[in-house]
């Protein structure tokens, strides 16, 4: 059993983050508010939301 690379370790965390953001969106929190709390550009949240609707 080999060592996991950094990207393999972060992948589950990225998925958890996406699920949490989607949960907030489903609860009615606006994407721009989530972006402000996370201190990221609102476009990042918008892309995340649109990519999961496919």
């Amino acid at each position: 059993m080999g060592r996991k690379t950094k990207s393999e370790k972060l992948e589950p965390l990225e998925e958890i983050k996406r699920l949490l953001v989607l949960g907030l969106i489903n609860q009615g929190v606006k994407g721009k508010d989530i972006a402000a709390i996370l201190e990221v550009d609102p476009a990042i949240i918008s892309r995340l939301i649109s990519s999961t609707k496919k």
Side-chain angles (χ1 to χ4, degrees):
M1 195 167 170
R3 294 179 59 181
K4 290 185 177 183
T5 64
K6 187 175 181 179
S7 63
E8 289 175 333
K9 290 179 185 177
L10 292 179
E11 188 174 311
L13 295 177
E14 279 296 314
E15 296 299 322
I16 291 168
K17 181 172 66 173
R18 290 177 186 216
L19 288 171
L20 290 172
V21 168
L22 288 174
L24 289 171
I25 294 294
N26 284 334
Q27 292 177 13
V29 179
K30 294 180 181 178
K32 67 179 183 178
D33 294 334
I34 296 170
I37 295 296
L38 296 176
E39 297 179 349
V40 298
D41 191 281
I44 293 172
I45 303 300
S46 178
R47 276 182 258 148
L48 174 67
I49 295 165
S50 65
S51 69
T52 57
K53 288 184 180 178
K54 293 180 181 178

